Amino acid sequence: RYWRDWSSDVCSSDLTPSGYNIDLSQTSTSGLSSGAFMAVQFHVAFSSIMRGAAIFAGGPFSCAEGSISNAYTQCMYPSSAPSVTPFIDLTNKYAAAGTIDDPKNLSSQRVFLFGGADDHTVNPVVMDALQSYYASFMSSSSIVYQSRNPATAHTIPTVNYGGACDQTVSPWIGKCGYDGAGKALTQIYGALAAPATTLSGSIVSIAQGSFIADPASHSLADTAYAYVPASCAKGELCRVHVAFHGCEQEATGAIGSDFYLNAGYNPWADTNHIIVLYPQTIASNSSPSNANACWDWWGYDSANYSQKTGPQMAMVRAMLGSLASGSSGDASAPPPPPPDAGSKAEAATPPPPPPP
């Protein structure tokens, strides 16, 4: 497989081999809103290769339990924190069946959680539940929870880029005077070098559609993106952070490249041997119904949405395997599922805007 090089968000005609020297055991993930729920799923399901996760306005593993009604009532707008017992039980059930990795892997990992005091899309009590969920699998000392950050709405916080921090508006990147990406990566990996002031690497485009049959039928784009530091491009040992955008933050939508260029990850990745993978959804009005280009966290695409065989989950894992194909270690990944892998869960329209 081949990747096309991007620089300053301008496509280059040069093609470079896809494999990098990657330590897959140092993989991590993060996301905002639907991307946050997806990041939790990905973190838990593939915990054997994970170092940690950072969640911005999300909730517990398989929070919606395959129901759009639950997505609204217990994962977005509940009046009180949902009980985490069903989510813990489901995690253990799936692990026993081998459809996700053993959650005992989580005990040695680190998590960063962030929620805004003015978030009216994902009620802060849902993040409280997520903290309780993770605390059942790891020490509370391994969890950093920035709860109800003042004057912060439903957004991924940056130091100086984006819209007003206290407003839930496009591009759902907030100028908050808070380095969310830096806090997240430092919690996951420990002390890091200072972020770059001038980037050494480049954005590359990935033929995401080659990792799953008929990507549009799964609300997936043909193209994903990654930031590759110069050190990683030269073959030095690197790790991967998977950053999931939220609804309406897809690259083919109104905000274009904003998330993969400006969410704050790339400067930290540049100086710390981290490739940032930005998988991409697309909006779909039918088959499946996903008008806001959300990630599948309630089962619009597959009843197996939160398990390793979920089509979107397996596709991202396969991209990781391809990224690491230049390493000397095991870069194996499960093959992409067939187009009909897993029956569709409850059919319904996605949560209304924002939720990004």
Side-chain angles (χ1 to χ4, degrees), residues 5 16-17 19-22 200-202 204 227-238 273 275:
D5 184 62
T16 53
Y20 296 95
N21 186 13
I22 300 295
S200 70
S202 59
V204 298
Y227 179 73
V228 181
S231 57
C232 302
K234 292 175 183 176
E236 296 178 18
L237 184 62
C238 289
H273 292 81
I275 293 175

Side-chain angles (χ1 to χ4, degrees), residues 189-252:
Y189 290 116
L192 296 174
T197 54
T198 301
L199 297 180
S200 70
S202 59
I203 295 290
V204 298
S205 62
I206 307 166
Q208 179 176 272
S210 68
F211 296 95
I212 187 169
D214 194 8
S217 71
H218 301 285
S219 205
L220 292 169
D222 289 329
T223 304
Y225 302 91
Y227 179 73
V228 181
S231 57
C232 302
K234 292 175 183 176
E236 296 178 18
L237 184 62
C238 289
R239 45 210 173 180
V240 180
H241 181 79
V242 183
F244 291 101
H245 64 73
C247 306
E248 299 186 280
Q249 287 185 312
E250 78 281 13
T252 56

